[in-house]
Amino acid sequence: MPDRLPPLTALRAFDAAARHMSFAKAAEELHVTPAALSFQIKSLEEHLGTQVFRRLNRAVELTEAGRAMAPGMADGFQTLAAAWRAAERTLDNETLTVTAGPAFTAKWLAPRLYEFAQAHPEIELRFSATLKLVDLTRDGIDVAIRFGTGTDEGVYSYPLPADEWVCPVMTPEMAARFPTPDSLRDATLIFDDSIAFLKPPANWDTWFRMMGIDFAPKAGPRFSQADHAIDAALAGVGVALGRRSVVIKDLDDGRLVAPFPNALDTGVRFRFLCNKGAEMRPQIVAFRDWILTEIAKTEHITDRMIRKPSSDFQPE
Amino acid sequence: MPDRLPPLTALRAFDAAARHMSFAKAAEELHVTPAALSFQIKSLEEHLGTQVFRRLNRAVELTEAGRAMAPGMADGFQTLAAAWRAAERTLDNETLTVTAGPAFTAKWLAPRLYEFAQAHPEIELRFSATLKLVDLTRDGIDVAIRFGTGTDEGVYSYPLPADEWVCPVMTPEMAARFPTPDSLRDATLIFDDSIAFLKPPANWDTWFRMMGIDFAPKAGPRFSQADHAIDAALAGVGVALGRRSVVIKDLDDGRLVAPFPNALDTGVRFRFLCNKGAEMRPQIVAFRDWILTEIAKTEHITDRMIRKPSSDFQPE
DNA sequence: GCATTCACATAAGCTATACTTAAGTGACCA
DNA sequence: TGGTCACTTAAGTATAGCTTATGTGAATGC
């Protein structure tokens, strides 16, 4: 990378001016006088050999050259600022920003938040419930909990020791009405499309096939998020095929029951991700250890299950 | 965007040092003395409040804070440099960098290159044959020719006045052997998967359906790039369903013939894309006008075709 | 084992970059 | 027509960023 860039302060001045479309506003943002900003722009124009702003009576507008570089300059300075904030965050051992999918956030993290705060009062947890995330540094995230088959290239990736199985869950009242797997033919079955992307599908069809029941349910409420499907089951709407991570707390607390211990194992695990080298920061260590102990606490539920890989029950 | 960034020269020094993992090399890159670079890093560390490099005997290594910001700094400065080059390119009216898909590049642009050079000796054309392209500015591209249904948000988009139809093409010798559409049942049919993504498919099945021939060919050589399919047809391998843009030059020159004038219209057009505001740059105007006249030159071939939308011949 | 070398740190001093204040220009507006 | 607004220009100044020169500590070589 050669250093054929003009003075960086001139670029920063241009960026601010282009964003505000005003030298005066840009000068204010940078805490300098309008005169200083005017000189910076002029210097930039001398380096480039052409105008970047067209000066109008009471306004300025970008020239073609200015338009060509404005978006890149804005993007570049944003990236630099994000990188700087990332460095600053490494000094802060009292906050921890975690991202996870909506279902994991709502059904696994949120109900346990109080316990984490008890165990680590010095750490302030922040959440970002989204599936879209590409760059931990850029988005100011310390830890990401992810499900599925990602590449995890260039980041620290730790698979959580908890296979994600699915099995029918319902309220205790509902369980009384449907005493056998076969009786589920008459139940309202709730569909969770959130794991439809899994290659050997772990859905109702597969589950009934595992049970040796010739039944391929079609009708029933569908939800794109796993936590919504479970909320429906909790409300007594019907029987859901619940994912371990999403239902385990409700099973542990007795709000839901899994009367049939036959579970389909998806073979996929959640991964604990953070930037390389960040895995030994105190909050991150504390958070990971806490997740592991929380998983261990519900191990007895998984142990009761008869788990078989969903790949064993595919048609053909 | 507040200006809570440390001095930019210090960031640039850090970026160079992190990329080279050496203060001395970084100093060389920036054309300053190692002492200057050492001061810059020190100043950065004072701003941050912690070390960014750990000084070893004969080397340096990044601390956690340094690792946190190094990738972002590299990315940010690259982005700034790309934006600056984009501005410089607007001053250069003698080169024009064009990107297009491999097939369009090979079969439309390349055979006409000489003519463009004749018409515009002052413009140096450069090509980048790829389908993967997101950012014109970042990748140093002036013009992109794209096919399909893109959003074209934030860029200047001009649909080229040439509907992309497909029809059977073959060598003249081959045409003698297969005098009727129905006789194609016995021909080697070449499959082009490059437009398999089209929603009303424009493939052999659809074409035979249009011709009222009950024939759904399965076997035959398949190519993922349209130009390879046409190359096979040119070599006498068989009959290809050729896309207008890819075969029109060979049809015009007589290397291929289209004995059956029934063509399926995909309803999709190529678009001519450039950055907003760049559409009046002289090379870009010249290039666009030249493309339009070249299209007009082969209008007589299209006019001979009986074109019908592929959506008219879908099953069900 | 001692001198050499290599890579970075530090000191002292200089220069030019980036800033300030103050005055100027031209266009819009009341 | 005078006031205001937004940017420009001029002149002067402070300091950021650079240089040369010297210092430090740990590998390397003889």
Side-chain angles (χ1 to χ4, degrees):
Chain A
M1 288 294 129
D3 66 325
R4 43 152 49 112
L5 275 177
L8 294 172
T9 50
L11 294 183
R12 188 178 39 186
F14 169 80
D15 173 48
R19 278 186 288 106
H20 293 289
M21 286 310 276
S22 156
F23 289 12
K25 297 253 183 65
E28 199 183 340
E29 174 182 310
L30 300 174
H31 305 118
V32 295
T33 56
L37 209 116
S38 180
F39 276 110
Q40 292 294 349
I41 301 290
K42 196 182 168 192
S43 139
L44 190 72
E45 291 175 332
E46 274 163 17
H47 274 272
L48 184 59
T50 190
Q51 303 245 112
V52 295
F53 280 105
R54 194 166 299 119
R55 277 73 162 176
L56 305 178
N57 21 21
R58 282 172 118 78
V60 289
E61 66 177 34
L62 288 165
T63 62
E64 191 200 329
R67 268 197 310 276
M69 65 176 165
M73 293 296 168
D75 186 17
F77 281 109
Q78 273 191 337
T79 304
L80 294 183
W84 182 247
R85 281 194 302 273
E88 287 181 322
R89 264 211 326 276
T90 65
L91 299 181
D92 173 9
N93 289 329
E94 295 177 354
T95 50
L96 182 67
T97 306
V98 176
T99 183
F104 194 86
T105 304
K107 294 291 178 185
W108 203 102
L109 287 174
R112 291 171 169 84
L113 243 183
Y114 178 73
E115 304 199 33
F116 183 82
Q118 294 284 98
H120 295 283
E122 78 285 5
I123 300 177
E124 183 197 333
L125 259 192
R126 296 179 194 177
F127 287 107
S128 165
T130 173
L131 285 168
K132 296 168 215 138
L133 188 79
V134 274
D135 191 329
L136 294 174
T137 300
R138 190 147 195 155
D139 297 317
I141 301 292
D142 296 306
V143 169
I145 309 288
R146 283 287 174 263
F147 184 69
T149 49
T151 62
D152 298 350
E153 222 171 306
V155 298
Y156 171 85
S157 173
Y158 183 91
L160 296 180
D163 286 313
E164 189 78 344
W165 43 255
V166 300
C167 88
V169 296
M170 58 201 90
T171 57
E173 302 79 50
M174 193 72 69
R177 288 175 48 203
F178 301 103
T180 66
D182 205 67
S183 65
L184 288 180
R185 289 171 185 272
D186 303 320
T188 298
L189 297 183
I190 300 170
F191 291 81
D192 168 11
D193 293 339
S194 73
I195 53 170
F197 68 89
L198 286 176
K199 271 169 293 182
N203 52 21
W204 277 118
D205 288 5
T206 315
W207 191 80
F208 281 115
R209 210 177 292 120
M210 170 173 72
M211 303 304 285
I213 298 172
D214 182 27
F215 182 48
K218 286 282 179 303
R222 306 191 81 91
F223 296 91
S224 62
Q225 281 183 216
D227 51 326
H228 296 163
I230 299 311
D231 285 335
L234 278 167
V237 169
V239 179
L241 200 58
R243 294 164 52 182
R244 172 202 176 121
S245 65
V246 184
V247 300
I248 199 131
K249 185 75 175 166
D250 288 322
L251 289 177
D252 202 24
D253 295 347
R255 282 185 296 273
L256 291 176
V257 294
F260 319 121
N262 304 277
L264 278 173
D265 205 326
T266 64
V268 181
R269 291 183 165 195
F270 277 89
R271 284 118 52 220
F272 179 101
L273 310 175
C274 64
N275 273 324
K276 258 191 185 125
E279 67 269 18
M280 63 276 235
R281 291 177 60 201
Q283 323 97 294
I284 292 182
V285 169
F287 186 64
R288 205 193 62 182
D289 289 350
W290 174 77
I291 287 182
L292 295 181
T293 57
E294 287 296 317
I295 287 174
K297 277 190 201 168
T298 53
E299 210 46 62
H300 63 279
I301 296 176
T302 288
D303 286 345
R304 247 184 20 224
M305 295 287 168
I306 302 160
R307 286 172 291 141
K308 292 183 181 159
S310 57
S311 53
D312 286 2
F313 304 100
Q314 296 310 315
E316 196 177 359
Chain B
M1 290 292 129
D3 65 323
R4 41 154 48 118
L5 275 177
L8 294 172
T9 49
L11 294 182
R12 188 178 40 186
F14 170 81
D15 173 49
R19 277 186 288 107
H20 289 110
M21 285 310 277
S22 155
F23 289 12
K25 297 254 183 62
E28 198 183 341
E29 173 182 310
L30 299 175
H31 304 119
V32 295
T33 57
L37 208 116
S38 181
F39 277 110
Q40 292 293 348
I41 301 290
K42 195 182 168 194
S43 138
L44 190 73
E45 292 175 331
E46 275 163 16
H47 274 272
L48 184 60
T50 191
Q51 301 246 113
V52 294
F53 280 106
R54 192 167 300 117
R55 277 73 163 177
L56 306 176
N57 21 22
R58 282 172 119 80
V60 288
E61 67 177 31
L62 287 166
T63 63
E64 191 201 328
R67 269 198 310 276
M69 65 176 166
M73 293 296 168
D75 186 16
F77 281 109
Q78 274 191 336
T79 305
L80 294 184
W84 181 248
R85 281 194 302 272
E88 286 181 324
R89 265 214 324 278
T90 65
L91 298 180
D92 173 8
N93 290 329
E94 294 176 355
T95 51
L96 181 68
T97 306
V98 176
T99 183
F104 193 87
T105 305
K107 294 292 177 186
W108 203 102
L109 287 173
R112 291 170 168 85
L113 242 184
Y114 178 73
E115 304 200 34
F116 182 82
Q118 294 284 100
H120 296 282
E122 79 283 6
I123 300 176
E124 184 197 333
L125 258 191
R126 295 180 193 176
F127 288 107
S128 166
T130 173
L131 286 168
K132 295 168 215 141
L133 189 79
V134 273
D135 192 331
L136 294 173
T137 300
R138 190 147 196 153
D139 297 318
I141 302 292
D142 295 307
V143 170
I145 309 286
R146 283 287 173 264
F147 184 68
T149 48
T151 62
D152 298 351
E153 221 170 308
V155 300
Y156 171 86
S157 173
Y158 182 92
L160 295 179
D163 286 313
E164 189 78 343
W165 43 254
V166 300
C167 87
V169 298
M170 58 201 90
T171 57
E173 301 79 50
M174 193 71 68
R177 289 174 48 203
F178 300 103
T180 66
D182 205 66
S183 66
L184 289 180
R185 289 171 186 272
D186 303 320
T188 298
L189 298 184
I190 300 170
F191 291 81
D192 168 11
D193 292 338
S194 73
I195 52 170
F197 68 90
L198 286 177
K199 270 168 293 182
N203 53 22
W204 277 118
D205 288 6
T206 314
W207 190 81
F208 280 116
R209 210 176 294 121
M210 170 172 72
M211 302 304 286
I213 297 170
D214 182 27
F215 182 48
K218 286 282 179 303
R222 307 192 82 91
F223 296 91
S224 62
Q225 280 183 215
D227 52 325
H228 296 162
I230 299 311
D231 284 336
L234 279 166
V237 169
V239 180
L241 199 57
R243 294 164 51 182
R244 172 201 176 122
S245 65
V246 184
V247 299
I248 199 130
K249 184 76 176 165
D250 288 322
L251 289 176
D252 201 24
D253 294 347
R255 283 185 295 274
L256 291 177
V257 294
F260 319 121
N262 305 276
L264 278 173
D265 205 326
T266 64
V268 182
R269 291 183 164 194
F270 277 89
R271 285 120 50 221
F272 179 101
L273 310 175
C274 65
N275 273 325
K276 259 194 184 119
E279 67 269 18
M280 64 275 234
R281 291 178 59 201
Q283 323 98 293
I284 293 182
V285 170
F287 186 62
R288 206 194 59 183
D289 289 349
W290 173 77
I291 287 183
L292 294 181
T293 56
E294 286 297 317
I295 286 175
K297 277 191 200 166
T298 54
E299 211 45 62
H300 64 278
I301 296 175
T302 289
D303 288 344
R304 246 185 20 225
M305 294 288 168
I306 302 161
R307 286 172 291 141
K308 292 182 182 161
S310 58
S311 52
D312 287 2
F313 305 99
Q314 296 310 314
E316 196 174 357

